Amino acid sequence: MSESNRTRYVIIGTGNRCEMYINAILGDHADVAELVALADTNPGRASYYQDVIEQTYGEKTESFDPAALTGFITEENVDRVIITSPDFTHADLVCEALEAGADVVVEKPLTVNAAAAERIADTVERTGREVIVTFNYRYSPRNTALKAAIADGLIGRVTSIDFSWVLDTVHGADYFRRWHRIKENSGGLLVHKSSHHFDLVNWWLSDVPERVYAAGGLKFYGADNAAERGIAAHERGTREDSAADPFALDLRSDERLEGLYLKNEEHDGYRRDQDVFAPGITIEDNLALTVNYSRGAVLSYSLNAHSPWEGYRVAVNGTEGRLELDVVERAAVLPAAGGAPVDPSVTEDGHDNPLRASGERLVLQRHWEEAHELEIINGEGAHGGGDKLLLADIFRGPGEDPYGRPAGLVDGIQAIAVGICGNESLLRGQVVHVDDVELGLDAASNAGRVRAAAL
């Protein structure tokens, strides 16, 4: 801790996600947090946010190459490292930061494969440092309301969950343009995206997954599917005829994307606007899983990444009734919906078609009773005010929380365990037992017990 009693932070990875942390440190939590520096392998993107910080907050912020992380942590007395870089870089950065004496806050997913998860857990156990994984969906009021209803026993003992998540042709398509499209980089959507959803189920049930069976494939995006439907693939979305292509992302259409990515391609050659129908995609866009939990509940999960609308539906069956959570985050993707591929969960959707209107509803129906709606109390800001609560827990420390929303290393590993086992199941065509995959859960649990005792 610095002499000013403010925790000293560096942020590694200056893509879209880092801005939330920058604003939190320099805004609401400036009295307890200090932003020491930004780091990125692309100096142009780091420079972009340095300019944003100076223009917004009137402060100058240092930047450095992530390759110099250990020296920077020790020389600058860094207390915590926030990692918002691509998923495949997490393990190296997490472990190096821990070894150098800093705690870590890492965006989900923790990492992309079992070996990397085990390595992180072993490093945490050896160093005694802390890793926080940011599962912001836990803080969304609608998801907390479902957690509360289950915990209060409103449907008795949970027997099964049906969970369907659909990503639309704006948001979902975007995973097939970026580094996520290569499974080695992201673990596929089962790890990168679905770890959010599996964490919700683990948290709702207060339980852990035991067995996973998965099926799915690349059925809409990619070169083969495009050829079958007579769609011509392009090198990239930023081109003269992009306006006629609903799947093209023209980086010039959005000032932020242009400033962050298009103008900085010279540094590393990274293209943010690859064509979703080009060759080389190795992740799936349609997925279905069956997951058995240790206390008997069964999860049926599906993910589709080319839906005409975005949202999710959860049905929780219990011995005394059923809970249903329906969420529509974007009711339709119309031709005018082009531009920046924004996650609709953090934006306003103006569609009001009565057949599918944006909104949320949590319904309880107990055996022998009529259905009735349970109240969801939203706050201000993204994800119904959930991001604000998450950031307060990160920067000020979690207070008393009856819902247990703050997530640590064990939670992070359990969330990716389903996706990692799901990927293995896709390869083998068989059920995969979580205990048969070395994920470092014993080391992570032991480290958590030691840290809790020390506190």
Side-chain angles (χ1 to χ4, degrees):
M1 189 77 72
S2 66
E3 293 181 1
S4 65
N5 292 322
R6 291 192 297 168
T7 302
R8 290 171 60 81
Y9 289 85
V10 297
I11 299 175
I12 303 179
T14 51
N16 281 327
R17 192 62 179 166
C18 79
E19 190 165 7
M20 178 180 78
Y21 297 99
I22 291 172
N23 290 333
I25 293 172
L26 299 177
D28 290 345
H29 305 288
D31 59 320
V32 296
E34 178 182 355
L35 181 57
V36 180
L38 304 174
D40 200 298
T41 55
N42 185 307
R45 285 198 290 273
S47 178
Y48 174 90
Y49 278 110
Q50 287 177 301
D51 291 342
V52 169
I53 290 169
E54 186 170 3
Q55 293 167 14
T56 306
Y57 298 99
E59 297 187 15
K60 291 187 178 295
T61 305
E62 187 176 349
S63 67
F64 68 97
D65 188 331
L69 178 59
T70 295
F72 195 89
I73 288 173
T74 55
E75 292 168 13
E76 299 295 332
N77 297 313
V78 173
D79 299 305
R80 266 182 164 185
V81 175
I82 298 174
I83 297 173
T84 59
S85 56
D87 303 348
F88 65 94
T89 68
H90 287 184
D92 285 346
L93 293 171
V94 168
C95 291
E96 184 174 356
L98 297 172
E99 296 279 12
D103 293 326
V104 171
V105 177
V106 59
E107 274 286 299
K108 68 84 199 163
L110 174 66
T111 188
V112 297
N113 57 52
E118 185 176 31
R119 179 183 165 206
I120 291 171
D122 289 343
T123 305
V124 169
E125 184 179 34
R126 184 175 65 256
T127 62
R129 308 306 306 186
E130 182 180 28
V131 172
I132 295 171
V133 186
T134 56
F135 288 114
N136 61 328
Y137 280 3
R138 289 187 177 197
Y139 292 81
S140 178
R142 59 198 178 214
N143 297 326
T144 302
L146 179 56
K147 165 77 171 177
I150 295 171
D152 289 345
L154 299 185
I155 58 169
R157 177 177 55 83
V158 174
T159 59
S160 64
I161 297 182
D162 293 315
F163 194 163
S164 175
W165 199 292
V166 292
L167 296 164
D168 65 27
T169 50
V170 171
H171 186 206
D174 204 42
Y175 295 109
F176 297 83
R177 297 187 184 103
R178 297 178 284 167
W179 51 265
H180 310 72
R181 73 208 305 261
I182 306 300
K183 192 169 247 189
E184 289 181 358
N185 292 344
S186 64
L189 292 179
L190 278 183
V191 173
H192 175 79
K193 185 63 179 175
S194 299
S195 61
H196 254 327
H197 315 153
F198 301 141
D199 176 70
L200 282 177
V201 177
N202 298 346
W203 175 63
W204 283 331
L205 297 178
S206 299
D207 203 355
V208 295
E210 283 193 335
R211 298 186 301 279
V212 180
Y213 178 77
L218 183 64
K219 301 177 182 296
F220 183 79
Y221 302 108
D224 291 344
N225 295 311
E228 184 180 282
R229 300 198 303 276
I231 297 173
H234 298 275
E235 185 178 356
R236 64 185 307 174
T238 304
R239 58 182 198 271
E240 293 307 314
D241 64 342
S242 63
D245 181 357
F247 285 97
L249 173 64
D250 190 332
L251 296 174
R252 298 168 300 185
S253 68
D254 183 88
E255 183 178 349
R256 189 165 183 268
L257 291 177
E258 182 179 27
L260 269 175
Y261 299 104
L262 186 62
K263 292 183 177 180
N264 291 309
E265 290 179 1
E266 62 183 289
H267 297 291
D268 55 13
Y270 174 63
R271 290 186 172 183
R272 172 68 176 75
D273 61 338
Q274 297 175 78
D275 193 289
V276 299
F277 298 116
I281 296 173
T282 58
I283 65 172
E284 300 81 14
D285 54 24
N286 281 255
L287 290 154
L289 282 80
T290 299
V291 184
N292 295 86
Y293 277 78
S294 68
R295 293 205 296 271
V298 177
L299 166 67
S300 297
Y301 172 84
S302 67
L303 176 71
N304 179 282
H306 55 89
S307 170
W309 67 278
E310 180 148 336
Y312 58 101
R313 291 173 168 168
V314 185
V316 186
N317 300 299
T319 55
E320 298 176 23
R322 178 179 170 102
L323 287 157
E324 297 174 351
L325 175 62
D326 289 317
V327 178
V328 177
E329 294 179 335
R330 182 155 46 214
V333 176
L334 303 179
V342 177
D343 180 348
S345 67
V346 296
T347 60
E348 292 294 328
D349 181 3
H351 296 299
D352 57 0
N353 187 321
L355 294 178
R356 181 171 285 116
S358 298
E360 58 192 11
R361 185 174 68 176
L362 178 59
V363 173
L364 166 67
Q365 186 165 7
R366 291 174 53 80
H367 291 159
W368 330 121
E369 296 179 7
E370 298 284 350
H372 69 275
E373 188 170 351
L374 300 181
E375 185 179 16
I376 299 172
I377 302 174
N378 284 298
E380 295 183 0
H383 296 108
D387 283 2
K388 185 176 182 179
L389 297 173
L390 167 70
L391 292 168
D393 275 356
I394 291 172
F395 292 107
R396 298 183 182 275
E400 292 295 325
D401 185 348
Y403 307 115
R405 286 173 293 196
L409 179 61
V410 172
D411 301 305
I413 294 175
Q414 293 286 15
I416 61 174
V418 179
I420 289 171
C421 292
N423 281 331
E424 185 66 20
S425 179
L426 288 171
L427 286 173
R428 292 162 46 186
Q430 299 175 343
V431 172
V432 174
H433 292 252
V434 176
D435 284 348
D436 291 341
V437 179
E438 295 294 332
L439 292 159
L441 280 166
D442 288 343
S445 298
N446 181 58
R449 287 191 292 270
V450 170
R451 186 173 183 85
L455 295 174

